[in-house]
Amino acid sequence: MIRVLLADDEPLIRAGVRAVLSADPGLEVVAEASDGHEAITRTLEHRPDVVLLDIRMPRMDGLETVAELRRVAPGTAVVMLTTFSEDAYIARALADGADGFLLKTGDPKELLSGIRAVAEGGVCLAPKVARRVVGELAGDRLSRGAAARERVERLTPREREVLALLGEGLSNAEIARRLHLVEGTVKMHVSSILVRLEAPNRVRAAITAHEAGLV
């Protein structure tokens, strides 16, 4: 069972998302919050596997909240679920540690599969968001590639293998099967990769894999 916390200042939106999630027997909404402060408090109380965060909320918005959640609840996956897809929002959310960025206008199936992906250690990006991220990578490819290759040189050969599969969007369990490792070993490799690359999360590590030409 994947435990989920919903954070959105609009009760009607929370009710709609809850209805979508309740249709999946493998998901359980354990708490709701109407702003960032409440989301942090409820996360520490209920320890959900995944937090769904809106961006624009009173008192403390989703962008501030994701950075604080990374500090106080590093084991909880965070997905932005919003109507706002401006590049600045996407870049800041991913840089501050969000594991995914989905749009409220997307297909409910994307939401369900995205929650499962991040709960299993993967990442999720709405197709529209993914295109923008890829476009950003292509915009300054040479300089980014050189810097990424330099960072990747810090990794061991096995860590480079794991990073390449991270870049393909695989979860820890999928990487373990692909490399014939136990999942705990993959988790240790991922933790080491994030430290060596100075990456805040798997999304940034995956981007580095693309920039360095591992994918």
Side-chain angles (χ1 to χ4, degrees), residues 163-177:
L163 178 61
L165 296 177
L166 274 180
E168 292 182 23
L170 273 62
S171 68
N172 289 344
E174 291 169 330
I175 294 172
R177 288 194 294 271

mmCIF file with all atom_site columns, all heavy atoms in Angstrom, residues 163-177:
data_model
loop_
_atom_site.group_PDB
_atom_site.id
_atom_site.type_symbol
_atom_site.label_atom_id
_atom_site.label_alt_id
_atom_site.label_comp_id
_atom_site.label_asym_id
_atom_site.label_entity_id
_atom_site.label_seq_id
_atom_site.pdbx_PDB_ins_code
_atom_site.Cartn_x
_atom_site.Cartn_y
_atom_site.Cartn_z
_atom_site.occupancy
_atom_site.B_iso_or_equiv
_atom_site.pdbx_formal_charge
_atom_site.auth_seq_id
_atom_site.auth_comp_id
_atom_site.auth_asym_id
_atom_site.auth_atom_id
_atom_site.pdbx_PDB_model_num
ATOM 1   N N   . LEU A 1 163 ? 23.783 4.948  -12.779 1.00 0.00 ? 163 LEU A N   1
ATOM 2   C CA  . LEU A 1 163 ? 23.385 6.277  -13.228 1.00 0.00 ? 163 LEU A CA  1
ATOM 3   C C   . LEU A 1 163 ? 22.754 6.231  -14.621 1.00 0.00 ? 163 LEU A C   1
ATOM 4   O O   . LEU A 1 163 ? 21.758 6.908  -14.887 1.00 0.00 ? 163 LEU A O   1
ATOM 5   C CB  . LEU A 1 163 ? 24.590 7.218  -13.231 1.00 0.00 ? 163 LEU A CB  1
ATOM 6   C CG  . LEU A 1 163 ? 24.324 8.644  -13.736 1.00 0.00 ? 163 LEU A CG  1
ATOM 7   C CD1 . LEU A 1 163 ? 23.286 9.342  -12.856 1.00 0.00 ? 163 LEU A CD1 1
ATOM 8   C CD2 . LEU A 1 163 ? 25.628 9.450  -13.765 1.00 0.00 ? 163 LEU A CD2 1
ATOM 9   N N   . ALA A 1 164 ? 23.326 5.438  -15.497 1.00 0.00 ? 164 ALA A N   1
ATOM 10  C CA  . ALA A 1 164 ? 22.770 5.320  -16.852 1.00 0.00 ? 164 ALA A CA  1
ATOM 11  C C   . ALA A 1 164 ? 21.334 4.809  -16.808 1.00 0.00 ? 164 ALA A C   1
ATOM 12  O O   . ALA A 1 164 ? 20.460 5.287  -17.544 1.00 0.00 ? 164 ALA A O   1
ATOM 13  C CB  . ALA A 1 164 ? 23.639 4.394  -17.689 1.00 0.00 ? 164 ALA A CB  1
ATOM 14  N N   . LEU A 1 165 ? 21.062 3.849  -15.925 1.00 0.00 ? 165 LEU A N   1
ATOM 15  C CA  . LEU A 1 165 ? 19.711 3.310  -15.814 1.00 0.00 ? 165 LEU A CA  1
ATOM 16  C C   . LEU A 1 165 ? 18.779 4.301  -15.123 1.00 0.00 ? 165 LEU A C   1
ATOM 17  O O   . LEU A 1 165 ? 17.585 4.348  -15.420 1.00 0.00 ? 165 LEU A O   1
ATOM 18  C CB  . LEU A 1 165 ? 19.752 1.976  -15.066 1.00 0.00 ? 165 LEU A CB  1
ATOM 19  C CG  . LEU A 1 165 ? 20.540 0.874  -15.791 1.00 0.00 ? 165 LEU A CG  1
ATOM 20  C CD1 . LEU A 1 165 ? 20.592 -0.394 -14.952 1.00 0.00 ? 165 LEU A CD1 1
ATOM 21  C CD2 . LEU A 1 165 ? 19.929 0.583  -17.159 1.00 0.00 ? 165 LEU A CD2 1
ATOM 22  N N   . LEU A 1 166 ? 19.336 5.095  -14.191 1.00 0.00 ? 166 LEU A N   1
ATOM 23  C CA  . LEU A 1 166 ? 18.554 6.186  -13.617 1.00 0.00 ? 166 LEU A CA  1
ATOM 24  C C   . LEU A 1 166 ? 18.105 7.134  -14.721 1.00 0.00 ? 166 LEU A C   1
ATOM 25  O O   . LEU A 1 166 ? 16.970 7.618  -14.737 1.00 0.00 ? 166 LEU A O   1
ATOM 26  C CB  . LEU A 1 166 ? 19.392 6.975  -12.601 1.00 0.00 ? 166 LEU A CB  1
ATOM 27  C CG  . LEU A 1 166 ? 19.453 6.510  -11.156 1.00 0.00 ? 166 LEU A CG  1
ATOM 28  C CD1 . LEU A 1 166 ? 20.326 7.454  -10.360 1.00 0.00 ? 166 LEU A CD1 1
ATOM 29  C CD2 . LEU A 1 166 ? 18.078 6.429  -10.565 1.00 0.00 ? 166 LEU A CD2 1
ATOM 30  N N   . GLY A 1 167 ? 19.019 7.388  -15.648 1.00 0.00 ? 167 GLY A N   1
ATOM 31  C CA  . GLY A 1 167 ? 18.715 8.274  -16.757 1.00 0.00 ? 167 GLY A CA  1
ATOM 32  C C   . GLY A 1 167 ? 17.608 7.751  -17.645 1.00 0.00 ? 167 GLY A C   1
ATOM 33  O O   . GLY A 1 167 ? 16.914 8.519  -18.308 1.00 0.00 ? 167 GLY A O   1
ATOM 34  N N   . GLU A 1 168 ? 17.433 6.439  -17.661 1.00 0.00 ? 168 GLU A N   1
ATOM 35  C CA  . GLU A 1 168 ? 16.347 5.836  -18.436 1.00 0.00 ? 168 GLU A CA  1
ATOM 36  C C   . GLU A 1 168 ? 15.025 5.873  -17.683 1.00 0.00 ? 168 GLU A C   1
ATOM 37  O O   . GLU A 1 168 ? 13.987 5.465  -18.203 1.00 0.00 ? 168 GLU A O   1
ATOM 38  C CB  . GLU A 1 168 ? 16.691 4.378  -18.773 1.00 0.00 ? 168 GLU A CB  1
ATOM 39  C CG  . GLU A 1 168 ? 17.851 4.227  -19.739 1.00 0.00 ? 168 GLU A CG  1
ATOM 40  C CD  . GLU A 1 168 ? 18.129 2.777  -20.079 1.00 0.00 ? 168 GLU A CD  1
ATOM 41  O OE1 . GLU A 1 168 ? 17.196 1.950  -19.926 1.00 0.00 ? 168 GLU A OE1 1
ATOM 42  O OE2 . GLU A 1 168 ? 19.250 2.472  -20.484 1.00 0.00 ? 168 GLU A OE2 1
ATOM 43  N N   . GLY A 1 169 ? 15.079 6.354  -16.416 1.00 0.00 ? 169 GLY A N   1
ATOM 44  C CA  . GLY A 1 169 ? 13.860 6.462  -15.628 1.00 0.00 ? 169 GLY A CA  1
ATOM 45  C C   . GLY A 1 169 ? 13.496 5.214  -14.857 1.00 0.00 ? 169 GLY A C   1
ATOM 46  O O   . GLY A 1 169 ? 12.374 5.088  -14.368 1.00 0.00 ? 169 GLY A O   1
ATOM 47  N N   . LEU A 1 170 ? 14.425 4.257  -14.729 1.00 0.00 ? 170 LEU A N   1
ATOM 48  C CA  . LEU A 1 170 ? 14.131 3.006  -14.029 1.00 0.00 ? 170 LEU A CA  1
ATOM 49  C C   . LEU A 1 170 ? 14.085 3.225  -12.519 1.00 0.00 ? 170 LEU A C   1
ATOM 50  O O   . LEU A 1 170 ? 14.808 4.066  -11.969 1.00 0.00 ? 170 LEU A O   1
ATOM 51  C CB  . LEU A 1 170 ? 15.179 1.941  -14.360 1.00 0.00 ? 170 LEU A CB  1
ATOM 52  C CG  . LEU A 1 170 ? 14.923 1.083  -15.614 1.00 0.00 ? 170 LEU A CG  1
ATOM 53  C CD1 . LEU A 1 170 ? 14.896 1.941  -16.862 1.00 0.00 ? 170 LEU A CD1 1
ATOM 54  C CD2 . LEU A 1 170 ? 15.985 -0.012 -15.730 1.00 0.00 ? 170 LEU A CD2 1
ATOM 55  N N   . SER A 1 171 ? 13.251 2.452  -11.843 1.00 0.00 ? 171 SER A N   1
ATOM 56  C CA  . SER A 1 171 ? 13.172 2.475  -10.387 1.00 0.00 ? 171 SER A CA  1
ATOM 57  C C   . SER A 1 171 ? 14.302 1.626  -9.808  1.00 0.00 ? 171 SER A C   1
ATOM 58  O O   . SER A 1 171 ? 15.002 0.912  -10.535 1.00 0.00 ? 171 SER A O   1
ATOM 59  C CB  . SER A 1 171 ? 11.829 1.910  -9.921  1.00 0.00 ? 171 SER A CB  1
ATOM 60  O OG  . SER A 1 171 ? 11.747 0.519  -10.198 1.00 0.00 ? 171 SER A OG  1
ATOM 61  N N   . ASN A 1 172 ? 14.480 1.689  -8.489  1.00 0.00 ? 172 ASN A N   1
ATOM 62  C CA  . ASN A 1 172 ? 15.519 0.878  -7.843  1.00 0.00 ? 172 ASN A CA  1
ATOM 63  C C   . ASN A 1 172 ? 15.307 -0.603 -8.110  1.00 0.00 ? 172 ASN A C   1
ATOM 64  O O   . ASN A 1 172 ? 16.259 -1.343 -8.375  1.00 0.00 ? 172 ASN A O   1
ATOM 65  C CB  . ASN A 1 172 ? 15.522 1.137  -6.333  1.00 0.00 ? 172 ASN A CB  1
ATOM 66  C CG  . ASN A 1 172 ? 16.061 2.507  -5.981  1.00 0.00 ? 172 ASN A CG  1
ATOM 67  O OD1 . ASN A 1 172 ? 16.703 3.155  -6.799  1.00 0.00 ? 172 ASN A OD1 1
ATOM 68  N ND2 . ASN A 1 172 ? 15.793 2.959  -4.778  1.00 0.00 ? 172 ASN A ND2 1
ATOM 69  N N   . ALA A 1 173 ? 14.051 -1.043 -8.042  1.00 0.00 ? 173 ALA A N   1
ATOM 70  C CA  . ALA A 1 173 ? 13.762 -2.461 -8.256  1.00 0.00 ? 173 ALA A CA  1
ATOM 71  C C   . ALA A 1 173 ? 14.108 -2.874 -9.686  1.00 0.00 ? 173 ALA A C   1
ATOM 72  O O   . ALA A 1 173 ? 14.667 -3.961 -9.920  1.00 0.00 ? 173 ALA A O   1
ATOM 73  C CB  . ALA A 1 173 ? 12.298 -2.747 -7.958  1.00 0.00 ? 173 ALA A CB  1
ATOM 74  N N   . GLU A 1 174 ? 13.786 -2.021 -10.648 1.00 0.00 ? 174 GLU A N   1
ATOM 75  C CA  . GLU A 1 174 ? 14.086 -2.330 -12.049 1.00 0.00 ? 174 GLU A CA  1
ATOM 76  C C   . GLU A 1 174 ? 15.586 -2.347 -12.309 1.00 0.00 ? 174 GLU A C   1
ATOM 77  O O   . GLU A 1 174 ? 16.093 -3.197 -13.051 1.00 0.00 ? 174 GLU A O   1
ATOM 78  C CB  . GLU A 1 174 ? 13.399 -1.302 -12.957 1.00 0.00 ? 174 GLU A CB  1
ATOM 79  C CG  . GLU A 1 174 ? 11.877 -1.435 -12.969 1.00 0.00 ? 174 GLU A CG  1
ATOM 80  C CD  . GLU A 1 174 ? 11.196 -0.270 -13.646 1.00 0.00 ? 174 GLU A CD  1
ATOM 81  O OE1 . GLU A 1 174 ? 11.740 0.860  -13.601 1.00 0.00 ? 174 GLU A OE1 1
ATOM 82  O OE2 . GLU A 1 174 ? 10.111 -0.470 -14.216 1.00 0.00 ? 174 GLU A OE2 1
ATOM 83  N N   . ILE A 1 175 ? 16.309 -1.416 -11.686 1.00 0.00 ? 175 ILE A N   1
ATOM 84  C CA  . ILE A 1 175 ? 17.774 -1.394 -11.833 1.00 0.00 ? 175 ILE A CA  1
ATOM 85  C C   . ILE A 1 175 ? 18.371 -2.659 -11.237 1.00 0.00 ? 175 ILE A C   1
ATOM 86  O O   . ILE A 1 175 ? 19.288 -3.258 -11.806 1.00 0.00 ? 175 ILE A O   1
ATOM 87  C CB  . ILE A 1 175 ? 18.363 -0.143 -11.159 1.00 0.00 ? 175 ILE A CB  1
ATOM 88  C CG1 . ILE A 1 175 ? 17.913 1.112  -11.904 1.00 0.00 ? 175 ILE A CG1 1
ATOM 89  C CG2 . ILE A 1 175 ? 19.896 -0.212 -11.126 1.00 0.00 ? 175 ILE A CG2 1
ATOM 90  C CD1 . ILE A 1 175 ? 18.279 2.408  -11.216 1.00 0.00 ? 175 ILE A CD1 1
ATOM 91  N N   . ALA A 1 176 ? 17.856 -3.057 -10.078 1.00 0.00 ? 176 ALA A N   1
ATOM 92  C CA  . ALA A 1 176 ? 18.361 -4.267 -9.426  1.00 0.00 ? 176 ALA A CA  1
ATOM 93  C C   . ALA A 1 176 ? 18.185 -5.487 -10.331 1.00 0.00 ? 176 ALA A C   1
ATOM 94  O O   . ALA A 1 176 ? 19.108 -6.310 -10.460 1.00 0.00 ? 176 ALA A O   1
ATOM 95  C CB  . ALA A 1 176 ? 17.641 -4.472 -8.090  1.00 0.00 ? 176 ALA A CB  1
ATOM 96  N N   . ARG A 1 177 ? 17.031 -5.606 -10.959 1.00 0.00 ? 177 ARG A N   1
ATOM 97  C CA  . ARG A 1 177 ? 16.800 -6.741 -11.857 1.00 0.00 ? 177 ARG A CA  1
ATOM 98  C C   . ARG A 1 177 ? 17.722 -6.673 -13.072 1.00 0.00 ? 177 ARG A C   1
ATOM 99  O O   . ARG A 1 177 ? 18.265 -7.692 -13.501 1.00 0.00 ? 177 ARG A O   1
ATOM 100 C CB  . ARG A 1 177 ? 15.331 -6.773 -12.292 1.00 0.00 ? 177 ARG A CB  1
ATOM 101 C CG  . ARG A 1 177 ? 14.370 -7.198 -11.194 1.00 0.00 ? 177 ARG A CG  1
ATOM 102 C CD  . ARG A 1 177 ? 13.002 -7.529 -11.755 1.00 0.00 ? 177 ARG A CD  1
ATOM 103 N NE  . ARG A 1 177 ? 12.337 -6.355 -12.304 1.00 0.00 ? 177 ARG A NE  1
ATOM 104 C CZ  . ARG A 1 177 ? 11.566 -5.548 -11.584 1.00 0.00 ? 177 ARG A CZ  1
ATOM 105 N NH1 . ARG A 1 177 ? 11.359 -5.791 -10.303 1.00 0.00 ? 177 ARG A NH1 1
ATOM 106 N NH2 . ARG A 1 177 ? 10.983 -4.494 -12.149 1.00 0.00 ? 177 ARG A NH2 1
#
